[in-house]
Amino acid sequence: MILTLLDIPDMMGVLKGVVMEVVDCALPLVQEIIPTTDPAVAFKDIDAAFLVGAMPRKPGMERKDLLSTNVKIFKLQGEALNEHAKKTAKIVVVGNPANTNTMICAKYAPSIPRENFTAMTRLDQNRAQAQIASRLNVVADKVKNVISWGNHSATLYPDVANGTVTMGKDKPTSIEAAINNNEWLSTEFVQKVQKRGAEVIAARKLSSAMSAAKAASDQMHDIWYGTKPGEYISLGVISDGSYGMPKDIVFSFPVTIKNKQWNIVKNLNVSAFAQEKLALSAKELEDERDEALAICAKM
Ligand code: LMR
């Protein structure tokens, strides 16, 4: 693996420290590390990209408050990817507002298939899975097929309706039956996951780092190696109109992945309550899209 690390000139000293840390990890797969300020060097013939360079939000902000500053970065990175990256490159967008940044990045990289761009909504899925696991006193990997729908924002909808949990030596059972408290599932649980990013910022005075890095690597891992049989994951992808959602926004859907291609899982049971939440998130994404396109048109 060759790691190219792109940053702005003012951050080169810090990047040097990051390079030292990667070296000191003695990672068996890393052959070379190339720190650079030049997108042409950073994106040259790459197979995969994690786009993390964006202004992080501060306490009291919503992620969409970053749109006017960050969307410009993703237009420029889309253009650079378009020119320099392999057409097979897989791009995971982490910088916020991640869904809309992904839409813009893909738009300005028309030579790369749109399907190759995904927004990191895996962090919301991991958070939802962890909350269920902790409520049921099991480890997180006993909880399967929990989905985060929609935007990576306070309108996301964590959904357990089709999920299962394995307790002790028992066979997997439905999460709803195991929790046996629909009131908690539709209120406290949903709000906890929706506001977890803000909760982390309030505690750390910095936005999430370790959990975001883990989610980004989980997402790229599954894009690369596929999902496990019988399991699906949440992925922010360009909507094809599935589940009645508008097209051409980047929306988190349940997907399976095989041979590096994702497919939206169809015909899952979506309650009227859930459908209402999905529509709210879709409306927010349409508003973000319109604002982002207007900003990019002025650049
Ligand atoms: C997160 O969800 O932790 C990140 O997207 C950072 C943030 O602004 O919340």
Side-chain angles (χ1 to χ4, degrees):
M1 187 181 292
I2 299 171
L3 280 180
T4 54
L5 305 176
L6 173 70
D7 215 326
I8 52 176
D10 282 355
M11 296 305 285
M12 279 302 109
V14 175
L15 190 58
K16 212 165 153 189
V18 173
V19 172
M20 288 183 215
E21 282 217 69
V22 178
V23 169
D24 295 350
C25 285
L27 296 163
L29 295 181
V30 175
Q31 286 178 13
E32 194 183 350
I33 310 167
I34 307 172
T36 180
T37 56
D38 183 354
V41 173
F43 292 125
K44 183 77 190 149
D45 291 337
I46 55 154
D47 293 295
F50 294 94
L51 301 188
V52 300
M55 194 171 92
R57 74 172 159 145
K58 308 258 164 27
M61 290 171 88
E62 288 299 333
R63 296 181 188 96
K64 65 181 165 209
D65 299 334
L66 301 167
L67 199 144
S68 56
T69 313
N70 286 346
V71 85
K72 296 178 190 153
I73 300 173
F74 290 86
K75 177 181 177 191
L76 296 173
Q77 299 210 332
E79 289 167 346
L81 283 160
N82 193 49
E83 206 170 322
H84 304 291
K86 285 189 189 162
K87 303 308 167 202
T88 51
K90 305 292 184 203
I91 297 109
V92 171
V93 175
V94 176
N96 282 314
N99 297 49
T100 299
N101 289 337
T102 306
M103 187 274 295
I104 290 294
C105 197
K107 178 178 161 62
Y108 287 96
S111 68
I112 300 175
R114 305 188 324 156
E115 294 73 27
N116 295 16
F117 293 81
T118 60
M120 189 183 81
T121 55
R122 182 60 167 267
L123 181 52
D124 304 316
Q125 175 191 316
N126 287 353
R127 286 171 171 162
Q129 204 175 324
Q131 289 300 319
I132 297 294
S134 138
R135 177 99 180 175
L136 294 173
N137 210 13
V138 295
V139 290
D141 80 335
K142 300 289 177 201
V143 178
K144 312 271 189 219
N145 294 347
V146 171
I147 285 304
S148 182
W149 298 85
N151 202 359
H152 175 55
S153 77
T155 67
L156 67 88
Y157 180 61
D159 182 8
V160 301
N162 302 282
T164 61
V165 56
T166 308
M167 317 266 290
K169 291 196 168 33
D170 294 347
K171 290 215 170 90
T173 125
S174 98
I175 292 173
E176 283 179 342
I179 296 268
N180 194 23
N181 186 341
N182 281 342
E183 172 65 20
W184 180 82
L185 277 174
S186 59
T187 54
E188 256 178 80
F189 165 67
V190 172
Q191 287 154 20
K192 184 81 180 172
V193 182
Q194 288 177 333
K195 297 195 181 135
R196 187 63 161 187
E199 203 186 347
V200 170
I201 292 171
R204 270 172 42 85
K205 314 286 177 258
L206 285 171
S207 58
S208 61
M210 197 193 331
S211 57
K214 164 69 166 50
S217 72
D218 284 348
Q219 184 157 319
M220 189 65 90
H221 176 276
D222 288 351
I223 290 170
W224 223 256
Y225 296 106
T227 45
K228 295 184 190 141
E231 288 184 30
Y232 41 82
I233 59 156
S234 315
L235 200 62
V237 298
I238 308 234
S239 169
D240 62 353
S242 292
Y243 293 95
M245 293 301 104
K247 287 188 179 170
D248 297 328
I249 52 173
V250 169
F251 195 90
S252 184
F253 286 104
V255 306
T256 53
I257 305 175
K258 203 174 171 191
N259 301 326
K260 299 199 177 82
Q261 307 291 328
W262 52 262
N263 274 299
I264 296 175
V265 181
K266 308 279 179 179
N267 304 322
L268 287 179
N269 170 28
V270 179
S271 67
F273 175 78
Q275 197 71 45
E276 230 173 76
K277 302 279 185 202
L278 267 58
L280 266 181
S281 208
K283 170 77 179 69
E284 179 182 54
L285 281 165
E286 287 183 307
D287 292 347
E288 284 186 23
R289 174 196 59 201
D290 295 347
E291 192 183 332
L293 290 174
I295 293 167
C296 290
K298 283 198 207 123
M299 276 176 78

